[in-house]
């Protein structure tokens, strides 16, 4: 058996971060040499130079839409070196939740390597503080549909591309994170059935489970909301040793049935524990007594789920997972004991070449014209080791997957340094979500407004299951629409009216406030939707080829996203218009 030494992984990381600048230059050199043959680079006139200065002078900053024509050619089966020197083995589909259609991205072996490096690094630091024993992990992970592109490449989500590899299995064994459920559950074709089986397998191995995980925290919350509904059925399966008839996918049924034996003692014990719980507080440590923590991405758009997650996790610590995207990994959480709200990500200087666009907050006038520059004045991109603590930047990366000087669209803040590499905090997606004229509100602003209004609900013991937003321009003046799904139908009209006014008042951006005052933006509208609406939205994305792992609720629905708008609008049960500004 291989022995995983977390001390040596930590030592390696310490060594790597001592000279982040040196590793950056070396990494850029390797990337450019390896991809020198690619058509994209050839055209740019680098002429074999690999130093950062020449690179910056010759290679333009790009976003996904600039690269898309190249990626389409790869997907269509052209085998000449287009974006990368080495051939591309498969295509990743990024979630693309805002615009409603998934993006195509190249997936390469180097991405698998960097994924494993990130997993091992953060595990080593986690394990130093919260050692886990040999056992299993209750992992809510799901693969997505794998389709073939015109050119015969496999296209699927980045997480699925990773799960398909041998390295993934090996790393999971090394870091004692084997999933309780068999592959047939992870790769099952029906998300609801996979979720049920993950819960069941987790209960069968309840004494062995060392931690609970999902890629994004909302999947864990989702899983336990489901558990509240199906726990009796799960107990019945364990008592009788016969799997519920709701599991109809043959391979999943066969694989899970093999694990099931009649076990009335376990069923009684689970059932007694569930009945003793008060409103499911602390269900995770109660049912999985050896679990040491709950793990998953909890930052950024996952923050709204933290309250519910803390409720289910009770006394267990929450540990926020690493930072990356389908295009590239960025940093590992090497300070696992920080609460999720303060999580930082230490950039691994050998997984890509990173640059940072300094972003200064605007004071006063609205000088800019283009949407992408709103909110900030941009400086010239600087290198990884040149960033300053306390400042905010937009990340650019260049990596082995042939995405050159790629603007990911995320804003980060430098919280400090680990040796010479920066530790970043995720701030928000750069793109605006809500804007009608001179107003500018990001995903984070929306989240803060919703949190403010949710306090009024909390006084009534009510909570928001999920939310999203939309800009309604069908009438003059346009107005913001916020959709809420609530946990029960008990909210009174009065409370919802107050929430609506509170939302309107909580967008404190000067452009919004002044537009509201003069009436160039209409009263904010709160639309309440039926329970289960966000479920239907997830299902819709799953049908498009998304995976539950990677799904992030779209916090903003654009007008072009007709299908999601239809789902939302046909489920509206109540509408409230703000009177906060007297009109
Ligand atoms: P995708 O391409 O679908 O994998 O989504 C990538 C995006 O998810 C990133 O650009 C971030 O905006 C967000 N994201 C990924 N990891 C984190 C994290 N640890 N914290 C906050 N946001 C994250």
């Amino acid at each position: 058996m291989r022995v995983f030494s977390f001390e040596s992984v930590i030592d390696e990381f310490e060594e790597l971060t001592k000279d982040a600048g040196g590793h950056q230059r070396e990494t850029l050199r390797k990337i450019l040499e390896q991809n020198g043959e690619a058509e994209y680079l050839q055209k740019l006139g680098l002429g074999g130079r690999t130093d950062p200065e020449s690179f910056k002078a010759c290679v333009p900053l790009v976003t996904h839409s600039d690269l898309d024509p190249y990626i389409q050619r790869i997907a269509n089966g052209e085998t000449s070196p287009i974006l990368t020197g080495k051939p591309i083995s498969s295509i990743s589909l990024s979630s693309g939740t805002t615009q409603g259609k998934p993006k195509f991205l190249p997936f390469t072996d180097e991405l698998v390597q960097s994924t494993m490096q990130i997993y091992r690094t953060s595990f080593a630091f986690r394990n130093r503080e919260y050692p886990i024993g040999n056992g299993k992990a209750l992992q809510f992970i799901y693969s997505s549909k794998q389709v073939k592109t015109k050119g015969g490449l496999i296209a699927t989500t980045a997480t699925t591309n990773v799960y398909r590899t041998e390295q993934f299995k090996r790393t999971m064994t090394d870091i004692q994170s084997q999933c309780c459920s068999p592959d047939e559950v992870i790769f099952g074709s029906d998300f609801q059935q996979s979720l049920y089986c993950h819960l069941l397998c987790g209960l069968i191995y309840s004494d062995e489970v060392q931690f609970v995980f999902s890629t994004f925290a909302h999947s864990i919350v989702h899983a336990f909301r489901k558990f509240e509904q199906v726990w009796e059925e799960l107990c019945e399966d364990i008592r009788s040793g016969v799997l519920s008839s709701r599991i109809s996918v043959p391979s999943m049924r066969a694989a899970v049935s093999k694990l099931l034996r009649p076990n009335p003692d376990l069923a009684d014990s689970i059932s007694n524990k569930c009945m003793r719980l008060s409103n499911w507080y602390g269900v995770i440590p109660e049912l999985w007594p050896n679990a040491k923590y709950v793990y998953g991405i909890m930052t950024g758009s996952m923050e709204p789920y933290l309250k519910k997650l803390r409720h289910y996790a009770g006394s267990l610590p929450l540990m926020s997972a690493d930072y990356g995207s389908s295009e590239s990994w960025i940093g590992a959480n090497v300070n696992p004991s920080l609460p999720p709200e303060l999580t930082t990500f230490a950039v691994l200087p050998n997984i890509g070449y990173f640059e940072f666009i300094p972003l200064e907050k605007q004071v006063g006038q609205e000088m800019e014209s283009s949407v992408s520059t709103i909110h900030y004045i941009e400086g010239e991109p600087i290198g990884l080791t040149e960033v300053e603590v306390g400042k905010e930047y937009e990340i650019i990366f260049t990596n082995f997957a042939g995405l050159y000087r790629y603007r990911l669209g995320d804003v980060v803040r430098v919280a400090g340094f680990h040796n010479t590499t920066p530790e970043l905090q995720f701030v928000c997606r750069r793109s605006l979500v809500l804007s009608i004229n001179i107003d500018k509100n990001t995903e984070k602003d929306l989240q803060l407004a919703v949190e403010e209004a949710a306090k009024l609900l909390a006084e009534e013991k009510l909570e928001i299951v999920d939310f999203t937003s939309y800009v309604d321009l069908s009438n003059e003046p346009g107005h913001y629409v916020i959709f809420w799904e609530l946990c029960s139908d008990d909210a009174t009209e009065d409370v919802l009216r107050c929430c609506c006014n509170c939302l309107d008042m909580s967008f404190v951006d000067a452009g919004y406030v002044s537009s509201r005052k003069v009436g160039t933006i209409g009263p904010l509208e709160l639309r309440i939707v039926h329970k289960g609406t966000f479920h239907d939205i997830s299902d819709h994305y799953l049908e498009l080829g998304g995976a539950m792992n990677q799904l992030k609720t779209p916090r903003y629905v654009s007008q072009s996203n007709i299908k999601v708008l239809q789902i939302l609008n046909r489920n509206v049960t109540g509408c409230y218009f703000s009177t906060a500004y007297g009109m």
Side-chain angles (χ1 to χ4, degrees), residues 93-96 103 105 158 216 297-302 320-327 329-330 345 408-410 426 428-429 550 552:
L93 297 165
S94 160
S95 46
K103 293 187 289 190
L105 307 161
F216 285 106
I297 293 176
M298 298 172 188
T299 36
S301 60
M302 293 301 127
S320 196
D322 311 312
Y323 174 32
S325 69
S326 306
E327 294 91 338
W329 280 102
I330 294 162
F345 307 99
L408 183 62
D410 287 348
F426 181 86
C428 61
R429 298 282 304 168
Q550 259 177 270
K552 302 179 264 312

Side-chain angles (χ1 to χ4, degrees), residues 89-90 92 107-117 119-120 141 143 146 154 156-173 183 186-187 329:
S89 54
S90 51
S92 288
F107 184 81
T108 61
D109 288 346
E110 283 82 7
L111 272 175
V112 179
Q113 304 307 338
S114 57
T115 307
M116 300 311 131
Q117 191 188 344
Y119 282 0
R120 283 167 192 274
I141 57 176
S143 96
Q146 305 183 21
I154 287 187
T156 184
T157 47
T159 36
T160 308
N161 269 325
V162 170
Y163 300 156
R164 295 190 314 132
T165 63
E166 270 308 303
Q167 288 103 308
F168 175 71
K169 284 244 146 60
R170 230 178 296 135
T171 304
M172 288 297 118
T173 313
D183 274 2
I186 303 169
F187 290 91
W329 280 102

Side-chain angles (χ1 to χ4, degrees), residues 12-31 114 117-118 121 329-332 345-354 356 384-385 398 400 418-422:
E12 245 168 65
F13 176 77
E14 295 299 341
E15 203 45 50
L16 188 64
T17 52
K18 271 188 197 144
D19 180 18
H23 282 288
Q24 281 287 275
R25 277 188 297 281
E26 180 58 17
T27 304
L28 180 65
R29 186 185 63 73
K30 277 195 199 149
I31 292 172
S114 57
Q117 191 188 344
I118 286 263
T121 306
W329 280 102
I330 294 162
F345 307 99
V347 179
L348 271 61
N350 67 341
I351 55 175
Y353 182 71
F354 297 94
F356 294 81
L384 179 70
T385 52
T398 305
F400 293 93
H418 188 104
N419 295 325
T420 60
T421 205

